[in-house]
Amino acid sequence: MITRRGFLRLIGGSAFSLVSLGAYAVGIEPMLLTHVKRYTLTPPHWPAGLKLRVVALADIHACRPWMTPERIASLAAEANALQPDLIVLLGDYTAGTKLVTGWVRVAEWAEALSGLKAPLGVLSILGNHDWWTDSFAQRAEAGPVQSRKALEHVGIPVLENDVVRLEKDGHAFWIAGLADQLALLPNKAKGRGSFQGLDDLDGTLAKVQGSEPIILLAHEPDIFPKVPWRVSLTLSGHTHGGQVRVLGYSPVVPSAYGNRFAYGHVVENDRNLIVSGGLGFSILPVRFGVRPEILQIDLG
């Protein structure tokens, strides 16, 4: 039989554990445990002589106190130190939660990202929050959104249903970037009862000329079942790995496919998808079991 003193000790210990867990999930893992997640693979249609290092940053979600311009600039310096051939940004630069101590203007986070440097350049796509936080674009149901203007102002091209051909060591390849799949919010006045995407996968891939390999940038991984075998690798963010992940499982994932595309390297029918756990967070400022990460992907 448990005594009154034992019961109080149990309650006190449990309360302390909960407080400690909360402090870790809010202050330690999101702020202090950013790491580099490395992948090495040879995807389909990849030329034998092409060695390519791609560094990817996803879901920055600029806000104070967690993702300040100073921290974003530090992450950019860390990405540069990995000596990438190419840097890609996978969308969601604006804050994803209202639980903040201060906002970060688009010009501030864009300026922090302007320090990114790579021999083949820096390319970007947009995420759902870049659309959702732009009230003018929502009313117009069209861009360019403020995030795109800010990125282009500091010299970072934005691919929305567009492609770019690059070359390294005599080998060519393509980067294809989709427009966001959840860009427009539900709007009863306009007869839209659900999110509407602006992505055009077929139209984007139709712009690729020749048979060189393709790397597809798509903020949400839910497009992956539709991606043809012609694409060597798809890179996505959006899910944050579920933000809470225990033993490889996330109880809540912002994807119609649940944990299928929640995080990491997915291979289906010899097609490759890598989903980043991202750097910031959405809705609640909590990360547990899925540390903020910069992706380093070595292809060849």
Side-chain angles (χ1 to χ4, degrees):
M1 179 180 294
I2 189 170
T3 65
R4 181 175 181 272
R5 178 177 296 180
F7 176 76
L8 292 175
R9 186 181 296 119
L10 175 64
I11 294 298
S14 298
F16 177 78
S17 297
L18 287 173
V19 170
S20 298
L21 183 63
Y24 173 86
V26 173
I28 296 178
E29 186 163 310
M31 296 290 286
L32 302 178
L33 297 183
T34 301
H35 72 129
V36 178
K37 179 67 174 179
R38 293 176 169 87
Y39 297 93
T40 301
L41 64 149
T42 303
H45 324 300
W46 200 256
L50 178 55
K51 302 292 184 182
L52 183 73
R53 174 168 292 179
V54 180
V55 165
L57 284 72
D59 301 286
I60 290 170
H61 287 300
C63 66
R64 293 180 172 87
W66 294 285
M67 197 61 74
T68 64
E70 293 77 17
R71 187 180 179 203
I72 296 170
S74 176
L75 292 168
E78 187 173 351
N80 291 342
L82 298 175
Q83 299 182 311
D85 298 303
L86 172 69
I87 296 175
V88 296
L89 305 175
L90 300 178
D92 271 7
Y93 312 96
T94 60
T97 176
K98 295 181 179 180
L99 300 175
V100 302
T101 62
W103 303 105
V104 174
R105 294 182 295 110
V106 291
E108 293 180 284
W109 59 251
E111 181 61 31
L113 290 173
S114 70
L116 290 167
K117 306 294 180 186
L120 297 181
V122 182
L123 297 172
S124 68
I125 58 173
L126 301 176
N128 55 301
H129 284 277
D130 301 309
W131 278 88
W132 294 356
T133 56
D134 191 321
S135 58
F136 181 82
Q138 288 295 320
R139 289 194 297 271
E141 298 185 323
V145 298
Q146 292 300 314
S147 290
R148 174 165 186 160
K149 294 177 183 178
L151 287 163
E152 291 179 337
H153 181 73
V154 298
I156 299 176
V158 179
L159 301 179
E160 291 188 276
N161 298 328
D162 210 349
V163 301
V164 171
R165 185 178 185 271
L166 300 174
E167 289 188 12
K168 186 193 176 204
D169 298 333
H171 296 281
F173 63 96
W174 294 80
I175 302 294
L178 283 188
D180 190 68
Q181 300 160 55
L182 301 170
L184 300 180
L185 292 162
N187 188 323
K188 292 183 179 180
K190 296 185 177 182
R192 187 168 58 247
S194 60
F195 296 102
Q196 180 179 321
L198 298 175
D199 55 301
D200 181 1
L201 179 61
D202 292 340
T204 301
L205 296 181
K207 296 180 180 180
V208 174
Q209 301 174 9
S211 59
E212 294 103 350
I214 303 168
I215 298 174
L216 175 67
L217 312 180
H219 180 67
E220 294 90 358
D222 283 21
I223 195 71
F224 186 59
K226 300 178 182 178
V227 175
W229 189 70
R230 168 80 176 83
V231 174
S232 295
L233 175 64
T234 301
L235 299 179
S236 295
H238 181 64
T239 64
H240 306 191
Q243 282 188 196
V244 174
R245 195 164 180 83
V246 180
L247 300 177
Y249 175 81
S250 299
V252 178
V253 181
S255 165
Y257 296 95
N259 275 265
R260 180 176 168 185
F261 305 137
Y263 177 70
H265 185 194
V266 179
V267 180
E268 292 186 356
N269 300 321
D270 202 26
R271 297 170 307 122
N272 286 260
L273 165 70
I274 294 178
V275 182
S276 172
L279 289 159
F281 33 58
S282 183
I283 312 302
L284 294 176
V286 170
R287 294 184 76 106
F288 181 82
V290 54
R291 294 161 57 189
E293 65 183 28
I294 296 172
L295 293 186
Q296 175 186 304
I297 306 162
D298 289 304
L299 302 173

